Amino acid sequence: QQEGIEPQVSAWLQTSVPFKERRVGDGGEVAEVATKDKVRQWAPAVFTYLLWIAVFTSAQMLLTSTIEEKSARIMEVLVSSVSPTELLAGKVIGVAGAGMIVVGSWAVCLLVGMLTISHFVGPAAQGLTQVAADPFFLVAFAVYFFLGYLLYAAYLVGLGSLCTNLKESQNLMWPAMIPLLVALMSMQHISKDPNGTMARVLSFLPPLTPFVMMNRSGGPPPLWEYVATTLVLI
């Protein structure tokens, strides 16, 4: 009223505008966004979260076992028979194998569950099934889990070697937790723009690489970025 705007104009300005999502195909044509496209965008976040849990729980086992062996004086007996490098390699590889079995059982159960309920839930479950059954996606998950696990395992075992009991290790856990928390908090932003500048920069930071690259697989990123980030992790 103060600006002299007519009621009809004011009502028109305040009317909500419907927004219909569209996507641009490879040939430049505009098409509707299907349910499977939305599922493909957000499905990697589910697997990234599983990767986060698997890496954290598996590597945590190594930290705990290392400290327990030191406090119980078992470490001295073991080192008298093998070298410290062989002891570290055996612990890491053994728990890595157990972790891969756990993750493999998760993947199989998830795939079977989605195939079972896809008839009842509809296209969303079918789209998630297609993503989970993608061989390239599963290979990327296995590779980044294994390399990410090795990185955090060596990191946490190194921290465990500095401690004599579990209480001391709690003070040293924060340096290992910060990258995991950053990876968790960045999942939503990376899912929205998997090939953006932020996602690409975080992909080449080794503590974040496994989680970010798994989350970007819905993009998907170029093949050279898969190769480069894998080399960075190695």
Side-chain angles (χ1 to χ4, degrees):
Q1 186 176 2
Q2 291 175 355
E3 300 297 330
I5 300 176
E6 294 293 331
Q8 296 85 353
V9 178
S10 175
W12 174 73
L13 289 173
Q14 297 182 68
T15 302
S16 60
V17 179
F19 176 76
K20 295 183 179 180
E21 295 177 325
R22 294 288 186 269
R23 66 180 181 88
V24 180
D26 296 333
E29 70 281 359
V30 178
E32 293 186 0
V33 178
T35 304
K36 65 178 182 180
D37 298 322
K38 296 180 181 179
V39 171
R40 183 168 182 82
Q41 178 186 5
W42 295 104
V46 177
F47 291 91
T48 304
Y49 190 63
L50 292 177
L51 177 65
W52 189 91
I53 296 175
V55 168
F56 181 73
T57 54
S58 300
Q60 180 77 10
M61 291 168 54
L62 282 175
L63 175 64
T64 305
S65 64
T66 303
I67 296 173
E68 288 178 347
E69 289 172 0
K70 286 188 64 178
S71 61
R73 304 301 182 190
I74 300 175
M75 190 70 70
E76 288 82 351
V77 178
L78 296 175
V79 175
S80 65
S81 303
V82 296
S83 67
T85 303
E86 292 172 339
L87 179 60
L88 172 65
K91 290 171 70 67
V92 170
I93 293 173
V95 179
M100 291 298 288
I101 292 174
V102 172
V103 172
S105 65
W106 288 355
V108 171
C109 292
L110 186 64
L111 186 58
V112 171
M114 288 187 297
L115 288 172
T116 304
I117 67 173
S118 60
H119 300 289
F120 304 99
V121 177
Q126 294 175 1
L128 192 59
T129 304
Q130 292 174 358
V131 174
D134 186 354
F136 189 78
F137 187 85
L138 294 177
V139 169
F141 182 86
V143 169
Y144 284 116
F145 169 80
F146 188 70
L147 294 179
Y149 166 80
L150 292 179
L151 177 66
Y152 278 94
Y155 189 21
L156 290 174
V157 169
L159 292 177
S161 66
L162 303 175
C163 307
T164 56
N165 53 61
L166 290 175
K167 188 176 293 185
E168 291 181 5
S169 68
Q170 295 176 358
N171 298 324
L172 294 176
M173 276 296 293
W174 281 107
M177 284 293 296
I178 290 175
L180 291 172
L181 293 175
V182 172
L184 199 62
M185 291 186 292
S186 63
M187 284 171 52
Q188 182 178 2
H189 303 285
I190 294 174
S191 296
K192 290 181 178 179
D193 191 9
N195 290 322
T197 303
M198 174 185 171
R200 291 191 168 189
V201 170
L202 294 181
S203 298
F204 290 91
L205 300 179
L208 304 177
T209 298
F211 311 102
V212 174
M213 287 302 295
M214 273 302 303
N215 209 4
R216 293 183 59 195
S217 59
L223 182 60
W224 72 266
E225 290 193 25
Y226 278 113
V227 176
T229 52
T230 302
L231 293 177
V232 166
L233 269 180
I234 293 174

